[in-house]
Amino acid sequence: MGMGAAACLVLSCLCVSCGDPVETSFNPAYFDLPETAFFPTETNIPADNRLCAEGVELGRYLFYDNRIAATSDHPEGVSCSECHRQAAAFDCGADNLRFVRGGLPLPLQNLAYNTRALGWSGTAVYPATTLEDFIRLTLADSAEFALPTDSIIAHIAAIPLYPKLYEAAFGTQDITLDRTAKALAQFVRTLTSTHSKFDRYMRGEERLSDEEMQGYVLFTTEEGADCFHCHGGAGNVLFSTYMLAVNGLDESDVPYRIPSLRNIAHTAPYMHDGRFATLEEVIDRYSEHVYATPHISPLMHHADEGGVQLTPREKQCLKAFLLTLSDEDFITNPRFSNPFTK
Amino acid sequence: MTKWRNIGVCLRALSAGLLVLLGAVACKPDAMQSEMRLRFTFTFEGESLRMGERTYGIASGERIAVSDIRYFVSDVVLVDYAGRRVKFEEDDRNVHYVSSDLEESLTWRSSRKLPTGVYDYVEFVYGLDSARNVSHAFRNPPESLMFWPEVLGGGYHYMQINGYWGDAGETACTRPFGLHTGIGTEQGEAGSVHFSNAVKIIDTLRFFLVEDGDKTLTVNMEVAEWFRNPHEWHFSQYGGSVMQNPEAQRVLRDNAAGVFEVRE
């Protein structure tokens, strides 16, 4: 290698940093998400926001810190964790309903693998606009954080903890909206759910009961419950295609992004507007009360029969299968919990 | 004796000459090569298929509106006038996912340069043959989303045509359908039996690959053919979902032969 090439290499090494480029000996602990059997190998992690331990730690503090949005009207403040609670797979939880313009939050899980569309209405089609963008918009959304982003940034800068954490993550103590969104995105991308009973079944570590297995077969067959084209299965363990679709469970005929069914037992009530309280209700609807609206997804193959017509026994099996998608490790993982109460 | 010696010398000279000649061919930095790509199109009775609102009459008299079409093309081989077979891609890459919703999937450019010459045939598999059609071969979307359920034999859908159908007299098509093909499943005496439905398509087409060229061939799917030849398709008989219907799978497999056309 010539001197020129070597110098170039050294220079380019210096310029690659966690977040934005700086020319110091800044050397954060980069890591990649561990490869998980059956999960996608591609993520939405952008080259300018690689995961690093320091960035994730900063993001975790910010995620749980209500002080960043405290005002005289709301001295208790707001944080992401107000609407995204770990016990509810980072959805809001049935005892803490948080509607924003008529819609409930979405759980935050396996978002690193969603390369298609964020939000109930989908901000974009393939490839999605970035998670960083989505979080920046969240911080700027007066329905979620009732103060301008520069006040949020000023609040963060005034908390003694943060300048050092920003320096560790980004190389300098500058506190900007861009860095704040990047750090939050890093933390959110580490929220991976990979230990449900179904995951363990896939990896050959556990068996499904007869009832769960029958439910699984129903879930993945057209003449059964016909859920898999939209909600996944063995070949799509994210349990969503993240496409927009009309599922015909009400007459509105408006497409919504297909939500993941992972941790579905923890994310009641159901649908974007929370109109169903229980999984039984949801299953009854798909079985017998589908409206064949003009724009119903063609993947609702039995819409013209009013639904997939399941027997009581089949409904019970289908529910048993849906419960195998719960990941207790995810909702109790100490790495995802509130760092202020450790 | 001298005669034999002479022949020996001659042979030696000849083989040396041959070696030089061979060497010249082998060492030539680039045998003559061309780039090549395939473009994927959809027609109905020869006219460009309009997805969405427009409805079409099929052979049975029933009507359909098509929302989207997704399918796999694999093992593309070009066969020249001398019968020499040239793979469009290396084996591990010789598979492509086509989706009417993804503009970039409608062109497949070979990552190799292909030898120039006169070609007579294009061969490809519609779907995935048994060796390729194994579960988890694709880990990432959009290909991974085509998975075919384990209980029906696993692997991937070969194709999905999604849309709506209506009876002959109806003006609007309101009943959802999914023409989804893949491994077939039949209930035998000893449980379910799976059979492959992938079809090898061979289309005669004389074309040339010239040096430093960039050839585009079009692979067209004539959608009307799925419904008429050799078997007439009736939605009233098969309904909107056919993954578990071995007879419907066989009908679509047989009809596949006339659906594709490769054009310049």
Side-chain angles (χ1 to χ4, degrees):
Chain A
M1 197 193 312
M3 287 294 284
C8 260
L9 203 81
V10 170
L11 266 180
S12 61
C13 286
L14 278 177
C15 292
V16 179
S17 72
C18 179
D20 27 42
V22 279
E23 287 101 28
T24 62
S25 58
F26 165 63
N27 194 14
Y30 291 120
F31 66 96
D32 294 319
L33 287 177
E35 203 181 307
T36 307
F38 308 114
F39 273 65
T41 55
E42 286 168 9
T43 65
N44 59 21
I45 298 173
D48 70 351
N49 195 27
R50 278 194 64 191
L51 298 176
C52 63
E54 297 82 353
V56 172
E57 192 190 14
L58 168 60
R60 182 176 165 203
Y61 277 103
L62 290 167
F63 189 91
Y64 282 100
D65 199 339
N66 281 33
R67 294 172 294 176
I68 70 171
T71 59
S72 46
D73 288 353
H74 289 284
E76 70 287 359
V78 186
S79 68
C80 314
S81 64
E82 290 289 298
C83 301
H84 297 287
R85 295 193 165 172
Q86 185 176 14
F90 294 98
D91 198 340
C92 57
D95 56 348
N96 172 48
L97 293 184
R98 303 293 294 254
F99 286 93
V100 174
R101 288 179 291 271
L104 285 170
L106 278 153
L108 306 182
Q109 50 183 352
N110 295 332
L111 266 150
Y113 303 108
N114 173 355
T115 46
R116 191 156 189 135
L118 294 165
W120 283 107
S121 303
T123 44
V125 284
Y126 214 72
T129 61
T130 63
L131 184 57
E132 283 78 359
D133 273 347
F134 194 95
I135 293 175
R136 213 175 287 128
L137 292 171
T138 297
L139 287 166
D141 183 349
S142 58
E144 297 178 63
F145 290 86
L147 68 177
T149 49
D150 33 356
S151 322
I152 296 179
I153 298 308
H155 278 82
I156 298 172
I159 300 169
L161 173 72
Y162 286 112
K164 281 216 174 62
L165 291 179
Y166 276 76
E167 181 170 15
F170 297 109
T172 68
Q173 299 203 346
D174 294 343
I175 295 178
T176 63
L177 180 60
D178 183 58
R179 288 179 167 190
T180 305
K182 278 181 170 167
L184 282 163
Q186 287 193 38
F187 172 64
V188 167
R189 287 196 182 97
T190 63
L191 304 176
T192 56
S193 163
T194 60
H195 280 92
S196 67
K197 183 170 188 184
F198 183 77
D199 292 314
R200 298 194 301 270
Y201 155 75
M202 284 292 292
R203 296 194 286 259
E205 297 161 10
E206 201 167 335
R207 298 174 69 104
L208 298 184
S209 71
D210 287 350
E211 198 177 49
E212 290 161 349
M213 188 50 97
Q214 283 172 41
Y216 175 40
V217 170
L218 288 165
F219 189 86
T220 56
T221 46
E222 288 185 326
E223 308 317 320
D226 200 19
C227 315
F228 65 109
H229 285 115
C230 295
H231 287 296
N236 172 10
V237 295
L238 303 176
F239 286 94
S240 172
T241 59
Y242 301 113
M243 290 190 277
L244 297 185
V246 174
N247 65 356
L249 298 204
D250 66 7
E251 288 172 291
S252 73
D253 209 29
V254 175
Y256 288 97
R257 195 200 74 196
I258 298 162
S260 172
L261 298 187
R262 250 178 204 278
N263 287 309
I264 195 71
H266 300 299
T267 62
Y270 301 112
M271 308 299 150
H272 67 282
D273 52 6
R275 87 190 88 105
F276 306 124
T278 64
L279 284 176
E280 283 83 356
E281 255 178 286
V282 174
I283 292 172
D284 283 347
R285 291 279 157 171
Y286 276 111
S287 177
E288 293 121 53
H289 303 287
V290 174
Y291 295 94
T293 60
H295 296 98
I296 187 143
S297 165
L299 296 171
M300 294 294 295
H301 297 120
H302 300 280
D304 54 322
E305 298 142 46
V308 289
Q309 312 295 336
L310 303 174
T311 65
R313 165 79 189 148
E314 287 173 330
K315 290 179 182 178
Q316 194 184 322
C317 293
L318 184 58
K319 182 182 169 196
F321 168 69
L322 293 177
L323 298 183
T324 70
L325 305 180
S326 292
D327 181 350
E328 306 307 326
D329 284 8
F330 180 69
I331 62 169
T332 57
N333 189 331
R335 286 187 299 120
F336 305 155
S337 66
N338 187 341
F340 294 107
T341 60
K342 60 184 165 196
Chain B
M1 197 58 186
T2 33
K3 198 173 164 198
W4 285 113
R5 231 190 100 215
N6 282 346
I7 289 176
V9 168
C10 270
L11 270 179
R12 241 175 288 151
L14 203 77
S15 55
L18 252 178
L19 267 179
V20 170
L21 208 81
L22 272 176
V25 173
C27 296
K28 197 174 164 224
D30 272 316
M32 299 218 283
Q33 289 180 328
S34 167
E35 300 203 356
M36 188 174 163
R37 64 186 130 173
L38 299 173
R39 248 170 39 82
F40 299 92
T41 55
F42 306 93
T43 54
F44 198 97
E45 303 293 11
E47 293 196 357
S48 188
L49 178 74
R50 286 180 23 219
M51 316 240 177
E53 304 299 310
R54 167 93 209 259
T55 68
Y56 297 93
I58 59 172
S60 66
E62 295 165 323
R63 299 195 70 79
I64 59 166
V66 177
S67 305
D68 58 83
I69 303 180
R70 317 161 186 180
Y71 71 105
F72 282 106
V73 172
S74 57
D75 294 306
V76 180
V77 177
L78 317 176
V79 185
D80 78 3
Y81 68 98
R84 190 169 53 138
R85 301 168 60 77
V86 175
K87 290 175 185 166
F88 183 70
E89 275 284 8
E90 299 296 341
D91 278 339
D92 58 336
R93 310 180 62 152
N94 206 349
V95 51
H96 183 73
Y97 171 73
V98 181
S99 164
S100 61
D101 285 341
L102 291 176
E103 184 58 37
E104 65 271 25
S105 76
L106 300 178
T107 304
W108 179 16
R109 178 180 276 288
S110 174
S111 62
R112 329 163 63 190
K113 290 203 169 186
L114 304 171
T116 55
V118 183
Y119 289 88
D120 278 351
Y121 297 94
V122 178
E123 271 183 29
F124 63 90
V125 173
Y126 135 74
L128 303 164
D129 74 9
S130 317
R132 284 192 191 281
N133 197 17
V134 281
S135 297
H136 312 295
F138 301 103
R139 293 277 289 274
N140 296 300
E143 290 88 345
S144 61
L145 306 183
M146 291 286 275
F147 81 92
W148 190 256
E150 286 175 304
V151 60
L152 300 184
Y156 294 85
H157 287 71
Y158 305 147
M159 176 179 75
Q160 296 188 354
I161 300 184
N162 296 312
Y164 308 87
W165 69 279
D167 284 328
E170 290 173 358
T171 42
C173 300
T174 56
R175 282 172 258 188
F177 75 78
L179 233 54
H180 293 193
T181 59
I183 293 179
T185 304
E186 220 150 25
Q187 294 314 315
E189 271 167 25
S192 25
V193 186
H194 301 300
F195 56 93
S196 168
N197 282 310
V199 180
K200 181 182 269 189
I201 310 287
I202 301 178
D203 210 359
T204 320
L205 169 79
R206 170 153 299 203
F207 65 96
F208 302 89
L209 290 185
V210 298
E211 191 174 4
D212 295 330
D214 187 358
K215 183 80 188 175
T216 302
L217 293 185
T218 297
V219 178
N220 182 57
M221 178 191 285
E222 171 49 61
V223 174
E225 285 292 322
W226 286 115
F227 305 106
R228 66 175 168 220
N229 182 22
H231 310 290
E232 194 169 283
W233 178 271
H234 295 265
F235 280 104
S236 57
Q237 180 185 348
Y238 297 120
S241 48
V242 296
M243 290 173 69
Q244 287 155 274
N245 183 333
E247 188 194 328
Q249 291 292 326
R250 286 213 171 84
V251 164
L252 292 169
R253 180 190 61 194
D254 293 351
N255 288 5
V259 163
F260 296 95
E261 192 194 0
V262 184
R263 306 170 179 162
E264 282 213 75

